[in-house]
């Protein structure tokens, strides 16, 4: 076996071909590497300020190794074509067949020789990033994983090349065939881009598909198994074909069919074994993340969240058929899929499904729609922090009942009248909040599984027993949304005192409203929101017709923060809103900015208790819900009220090699080495060997 | 004494088909140590196929080959260890030096690193390649390449040598050298060689096996065919051929000119009685005529060809 490998290498390196190929390869690799390096140098100052930024290994070394794989794909046919085809053509196979060696030894010897040359190419490709190790701290783990990946890819290529070389006695045909086969396998990966599902069998047959995770520093037994199986399969086929050559072709048609059947059977068995192994690999796979700071892996916080999934989590990505965008999404979701089989990913092209896109409220390309047990959430940008928090929110919503008290002339959460909240209730249902009207007289207490209780502008006071139920609910730590009106009846003092929130008399009038062409001066506008978790990132204008202004006691056990605040030109008008109105300080009218919404929090043993008092219930009524950002604000407020969970903070992971300090002299030296010294050295080496031998 | 030497190679009912054509049909022979067997036949008779079958390059459609008692199918490695093979085209790598190439062949045939230099020097000297050991095979002339091919087959000192047209492409001097080498080797080894050069068979072979259309048409000593011996006679008054063939001891009679006849004799013929009988027609010439290999060859191969393709 070694004898054969040694002979192959001798023959190879005594002829100028391999030297020229290596020189060309080194020159091309060096050139492309330097181009990438230059790009990196240009963006590196920006990378330094970026959280979670990729580094030199991610931006230069990993793509460089992939380039090396593609370039090798181009030269490998010329290296591999000789292996068997040349022996058949020149008749030197007689030496192999008549010698006391087995076919397996011949095939493995030839394979080894090709591996040795490819090892040289691997070293050549690795030498370039390694040359930078003096100037920056490389991500060694990731580079090692990438090197392993490139090595395995080349090994699979070599086996395929050997197989094709054994099919024919024409080295040229073998080279063309090898090139075609390798290119086909490589490009199969592209077939995955347009596929609707996350898993695409065709793409998964491509080495490129399995190389990418390795280049990212992810060691996955499934991918390793693929490469080993592909290599082994091609080697077995080569061996079978090699032995088969010596056998006579069957004489009769029946015999020929028998032989064909035999061949088909062998291929089928091989495919079966491959499939079985692939299945085993998928079901008993182990994954290690070799990249620095385990950048490909989920943080423990995300893993904990995933463990709480009880059913399928369907993630629909509305991404156009751009492989880059889809791959970026797929990469992140794949981290979740590795930890939980319940996470499913589906790509939808928003251009071809406009109705679905509109119905689910998708606004930008690349937006994700998460669906879990009938509840859903949209994400317009994707990273681990947002995705994990969204999943957590979906899980926590499952027992969050939203109960709205009825029986006292309240706005009905399922009502169709103008002043009712039916539309908002339906929207809450869609978002996965089970909504229910609550008749307090029918229950001894507010049900335990109520996550949010809504007291929505009652027109008559609650019975004292009913009010007591509400107070008990608050005492138990329940969250409350209390909507008041300027003309709300008295009788709720016990509740106001408990919360420490009171109402100014009068209706909020806003001079800014007429400036916007709104005829009703009693329309309070809220254009800006204070920094508060409930309105974080919310920027739309909201309108509050006939609102009451609120104020809070300073000595309340609740921490009150204004969340909805009118502008300076507003005041509380105590006279009827008719004709010209103006601020009368002497009548006790308050001047803006006025608080019309107060967010209250109180620490409890179980977490944080939340209450929200708003001096207006109209803004989410069927009439006004479509105005400005009212609906979105309402959803945000409910999300905050029901979310007793802490927002998970997942630190962004940053590459260790974002900075490369390369002096001009050092850069020049590197450039000279990769572009001139190495290729020319190889070329002259080949020339020298060739001339010296030609003379003898 | 020769018959007591061990059988080194034997073919039993050997057959190989190429598509619908039978290249070698039902071939049987044995080869003992110290014997040189010549495989003779016109082009396309199946000589090379036979040799390739014997060396395991191709697998027979039927029948079996044994080398040194090892079946080539079931114990190929043991069998091939005894084998040295020179194919029709020497299996050379032109980019290697003679020495490098032979060293590779030696390692391939399992020669140890220690045994290699001795065997190499010995073989190079034997094949007259000592001065060319550093030369590139690609730069060698045809004759030298053939020598390298033979050297390759000899290097590991195999018990059985299979040579496919070993002297093809050589000039007369080189041919003589190679034949001398084969004769010398034949004293200790079993050699199977194929050729279509008749004098070569006479010069080096002990036995000959003639193939035609894949079938074995003769196996016997290389010198002559005793059963086919006869007389050439000339008579003053030639009678009808039938009268001559009716004579006791005459198996057949063919006219060979106006007054000349070839008589083929049966084994119990008495030449003295026959000459006496022939004087009646005025015997002018009476000479024994031993049918040589060429005649046999021509008779057997053209006869079979005239009879059409053999039924296989």
């Amino acid at each position: 076996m070694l004898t054969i490998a040694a002979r192959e290498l001798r023959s190879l390196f005594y002829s100028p071909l391999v030297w020229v190929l290596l020189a060309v390869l080194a020159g091309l690799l060096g050139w492309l590497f330097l181009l990438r390096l230059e790009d990196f140098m240009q963006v590196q100052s920006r990378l330094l300020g970026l959280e979670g930024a990729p580094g030199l290994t991610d931006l230069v070394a990993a793509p460089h190794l992939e380039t090396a794989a593609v370039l090798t794909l181009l030269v490998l046919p010329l290296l591999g074509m000789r292996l068997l085809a040349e022996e058949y053509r020149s008749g030197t196979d007689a030496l192999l067949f008549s010698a006391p060696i087995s076919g397996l030894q011949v095939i493995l010897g030839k394979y080894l020789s090709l591996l040795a040359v490819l090892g040289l190419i691997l070293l050549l490709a690795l030498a370039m990033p390694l040359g930078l190790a003096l100037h920056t701290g490389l991500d060694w783990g990731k580079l090692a994983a990438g090197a392993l990946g490139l090595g395995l890819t080349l090994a699979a290529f070599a086996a395929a090349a050997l197989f094709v070389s054994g099919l024919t006695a024409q080295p040229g045909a073998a080279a063309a065939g090898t090139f075609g086969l390798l290119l086909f396998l490589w490009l199969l990966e592209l077939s995955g881009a347009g596929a609707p599902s996350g898993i695409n069998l065709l793409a998964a047959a491509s080495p490129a598909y399995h190389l990418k995770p390795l280049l990212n520093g992810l060691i996955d037994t499934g991918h390793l198994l693929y490469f080993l199986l592909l290599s082994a399969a091609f080697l077995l086929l080569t061996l079978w074909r090699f032995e088969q050559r010596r056998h006579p072709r069957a004489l009769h048609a029946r015999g020929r069919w028998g032989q064909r059947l035999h061949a088909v059977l062998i291929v089928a068995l091989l495919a079966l074994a491959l499939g079985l192994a692939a299945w085993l690999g998928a079901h008993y796979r182990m994954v290690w993340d070799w990249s620095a700071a385990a950048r490909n892996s989920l943080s423990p916080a995300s893993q904990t969240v995933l463990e709480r999934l009880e059913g399928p989590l369907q993630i629909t990505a509305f991404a156009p058929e751009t492989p880059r965008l889809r791959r970026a999404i797929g990469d992140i979701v794949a981290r979740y899929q590795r930890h939980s089989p319940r996470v499913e990913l589906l790509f939808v092209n928003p251009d071809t499904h406009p109705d679905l896109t509109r119905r689910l409220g998708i606004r930008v390309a690349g937006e994700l729609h998460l669906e879990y047990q009938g509840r859903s959430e949209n994400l317009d940008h994707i990273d681990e922090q947002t995705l994990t928090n969204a999943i957590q929110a979906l899980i926590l919503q499952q027992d969050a009942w939203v109960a709205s008290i009825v029986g006292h002339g309240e706005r009905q959460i399922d009502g169709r009248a103008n002043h009712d909240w039916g539309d908002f209730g339906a929207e809450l249902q869609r978002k996965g909040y089970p909504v229910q009207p609550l008749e307090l007289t029918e229950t001894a207490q507010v049900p335990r599984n109520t996550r949010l209780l809504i007291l929505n502008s009652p027109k008559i006071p609650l019975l004292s027993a009913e009010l007591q139920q509400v107070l008990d609910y608050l005492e138990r730590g329940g969250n409350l949304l209390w909507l008041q009106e300027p003309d709300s009846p008295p009788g709720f003092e016990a509740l106001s005192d408990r919360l420490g929130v009171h109402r100014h008399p009068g209706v909020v009038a806003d001079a800014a409203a007429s400036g916007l062409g709104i005829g009703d001066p009693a329309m309070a506008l809220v254009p800006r929101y204070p920094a508060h978790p409930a309105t974080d990132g919310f920027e739309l204008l909201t309108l509050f017709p006939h609102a009451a202004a609120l104020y809070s006691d300073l000595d309340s056990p609740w921490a009150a923060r204004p969340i909805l605040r009118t502008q300076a030109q507003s005041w509380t008008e105590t006279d009827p809103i008719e004709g010209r109105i103006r601020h009368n300080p002497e009548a006790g009218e308050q001047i803006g900015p006025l608080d019309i919404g107060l967010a209250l929090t109180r620490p409890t043993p179980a977490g944080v208790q939340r209450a929200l008092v708003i001096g207006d219930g109209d803004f989410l009524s069927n009439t006004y819900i479509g105005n400005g950002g009212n609906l979105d604000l309402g959803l945000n407020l409910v999300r905050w009220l029901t979310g007793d969970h802490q927002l998970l903070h997942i630190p962004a992971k940053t590459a260790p090699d974002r900075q490369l300090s390369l002096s001009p002299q050092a850069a020049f030296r590197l450039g000279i080495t990769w572009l001139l010294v190495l290729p020319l050295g190889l070329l002259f080496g080949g020339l020298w060997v060739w001339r010296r031998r030609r003379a003898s | 004494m020769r018959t007591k030497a061990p059988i080194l190679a034997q073919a039993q009912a050997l057959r190989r088909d190429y598509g619908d054509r039978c290249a070698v049909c039902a071939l049987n022979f044995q080869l003992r140590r110290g014997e040189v067997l010549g495989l003779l036949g016109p082009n396309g008779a199946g000589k090379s196929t036979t040799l390739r079958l014997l060396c395991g390059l191709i697998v027979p459609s039927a029948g079996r080959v044994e080398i040194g008692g090892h079946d080539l199918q079931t114990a190929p490695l043991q069998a091939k260890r005894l084998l040295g093979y020179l194919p029709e085209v020497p299996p050379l790598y032109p980019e290697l030096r003679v020495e490098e190439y032979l060293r590779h062949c030696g390692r391939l045939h399992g020669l140890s690193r220690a045994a290699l230099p001795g065997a190499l020097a010995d073989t190079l000297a034997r094949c007259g390649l000592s001065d060319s050991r550093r030369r590139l095979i690609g730069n060698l002339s045809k004759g030298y390449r053939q020598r390298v091919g033979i050297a390759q087959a000899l290097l590991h000192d195999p018990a059985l040598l299979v040579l496919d047209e070993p002297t093809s492409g050589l000039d007369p001097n080189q041919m003589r050298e190679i034949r001398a080498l084969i004769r010398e080797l034949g004293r200790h080894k079993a050699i199977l060689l194929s050729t279509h050069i008749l004098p070569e068979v006479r010069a080096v072979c002990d036995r000959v096996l003639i193939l035609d259309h894949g079938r074995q048409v003769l196996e016997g000593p290389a010198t002559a065919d005793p059963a086919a011996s006869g007389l050439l006679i000339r008579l003053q008054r030639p009678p009808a051929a039938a009268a001559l063939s009716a004579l006791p001891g005459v198996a057949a009679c063919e006219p060979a000119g106006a007054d000349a006849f070839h008589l083929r004799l049966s084994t119990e013929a008495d030449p003295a009685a026959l000459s006496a009988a022939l004087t009646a027609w005025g015997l002018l010439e009476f000479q024994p005529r031993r049918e040589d290999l060429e005649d046999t060859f021509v008779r057997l191969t053209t006869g079979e060809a005239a009879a059409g393709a053999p039924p296989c």
Side-chain angles (χ1 to χ4, degrees), chain A residues 66 69-70 153 157 185-190 203-215 223 226-227 327:
Chain A
E66 194 177 352
V70 174
T153 308
F157 280 179
L185 280 178
W186 190 259
L187 294 182
L188 263 187
E189 197 228 355
L190 295 182
S206 164
Y209 176 87
H210 298 273
L211 173 61
K212 297 229 158 87
L214 283 161
L215 290 178
H223 296 310
Y226 163 83
F227 283 114
R327 190 167 297 141

Side-chain angles (χ1 to χ4, degrees), chain A residues 55 79 82 158 165 194 198 232 326 383 488 528 588 635 649:
Chain A
L79 291 172
R82 307 170 26 270
S165 179
R326 290 197 168 189
D383 57 36
S488 283
R528 269 183 303 279
L635 290 174
H649 178 66

